[in-house]
Amino acid sequence: MTDPNAAAARPVQAVILAGGQGSRLRPYTDDRPKPMVEIPGTGTPIIGHQLSWLAGEGVTDVVVSCGHLAEVLQDWLDTADLPVSVTTVVEPEPLGRGGGLKYAAARLPHPDRPWYATNGDIWTRFSLRDMADFHTERDAVATLALARPRLPWGAVQTDGFGHVTDFIESPPSTFEINAGVYVFSPAFAKLLPDRGDHERSTFPQLAREHRLAGFPLPQGAYWRAIDTAKDLTEAAKELASLRR
């Protein structure tokens, strides 16, 4: 049975960081920001999928931090039939990832409540509610989703004598990585730098204080960062296979 107190503590607001230039996705990003790139076969930009996912996880309000070609993203948000209430912000000058996150968080409607955040180029599906409960149970200030991506290369297995025993195509990494999805407690925003990168300052400090948690994505959860044209192609193939 779901703990009503835990359910009440889950975030209903989120920040999407959508200001990157997406230079590795050119020419797709020549006339649009990376979150506005469509995954082939879906007819919907990456950020459209993200907003639908967030809405399905109980989020009602989203702040989108814009940057590169912000007007293209803002125009789409103004005309699309959105499942959540969306506010956009544009940094007055480059503030870095941590400063940009802090600037966007200042526009969240409930500063005394926890919040989600996600990078604008992540295409994933898993239970944010479970992640929020994990965050609460550990009394964390910040929780990172952790992914185990598949390597882009084939791997070779050998035995103790140096004989090749197997070839494994695109094996999962032995290391977990930051999946670009977060749960933050209300106090987190004040710990962010006004300028600079929170992953070089705030996160290491919280880790030393044992206030930073890592939530492994559940077995079988879909996750992909859309960084290159190849990622778009692979995402389209994976989505097609999921629909079968």
Side-chain angles (χ1 to χ4, degrees):
M1 183 179 293
T2 302
D3 181 349
N5 293 325
R10 291 171 187 156
V12 296
Q13 55 188 355
V15 169
I16 296 178
L17 297 172
Q21 295 203 8
S23 56
R24 290 197 293 165
L25 257 178
R26 288 177 177 159
Y28 297 100
T29 51
D30 284 344
D31 61 355
R32 69 195 64 194
K34 189 193 289 190
M36 281 301 298
V37 173
E38 292 184 6
I39 297 173
T42 69
T44 302
I46 297 168
I47 194 168
H49 294 286
Q50 291 182 322
L51 292 171
S52 294
W53 175 49
L54 290 169
E57 293 294 325
V59 171
T60 58
D61 294 272
V62 175
V63 177
V64 179
S65 177
C66 308
H68 173 64
L69 296 174
E71 65 280 0
V72 176
L73 178 52
Q74 289 172 319
D75 287 347
W76 183 82
L77 291 169
D78 286 342
T79 58
D81 182 16
L82 302 176
V84 294
S85 175
V86 174
T87 302
T88 60
V89 297
V90 181
E91 297 171 22
E93 56 186 314
L95 300 175
R97 289 194 297 174
L101 190 59
K102 187 173 188 176
Y103 185 76
R107 296 294 301 274
L108 288 167
H110 309 290
D112 58 338
R113 296 192 63 176
W115 45 292
Y116 298 117
T118 180
N119 295 343
D121 58 358
I122 300 299
W123 171 225
T124 186
R125 283 293 185 275
F126 66 91
S127 173
L128 283 173
R129 292 180 173 93
D130 287 350
M131 185 177 173
D133 293 347
F134 179 96
H135 171 85
T136 301
E137 289 163 3
R138 281 148 187 80
D139 196 26
V141 172
T143 297
L144 290 64
L146 303 177
R148 199 182 291 274
R150 290 196 167 273
L151 300 177
W153 316 282
V156 178
Q157 272 190 342
T158 60
D159 62 19
F161 296 99
H163 298 123
V164 174
T165 59
D166 201 2
F167 293 89
I168 305 171
E169 201 59 40
S170 299
S173 168
T174 56
F175 294 99
E176 293 175 314
I177 66 166
N178 179 352
V181 181
Y182 312 92
V183 182
F184 296 135
S185 294
F188 179 75
K190 295 179 182 178
L191 303 178
L192 286 165
D194 293 327
R195 295 173 180 271
D197 189 347
H198 60 292
E199 294 192 12
R200 296 175 181 268
S201 56
T202 310
F203 280 175
Q205 181 63 37
L206 289 175
R208 288 190 290 270
E209 297 169 356
H210 302 286
R211 296 194 294 165
L212 182 67
F215 175 77
L217 294 190
Q219 185 72 27
Y222 183 76
W223 179 89
R224 179 175 283 278
I226 309 295
D227 289 321
T228 65
K230 183 179 179 181
D231 290 323
L232 276 177
T233 303
E234 293 299 317
K237 289 180 184 176
E238 290 160 354
L239 290 175
S241 67
L242 289 173
R243 293 191 185 110
R244 289 177 191 152

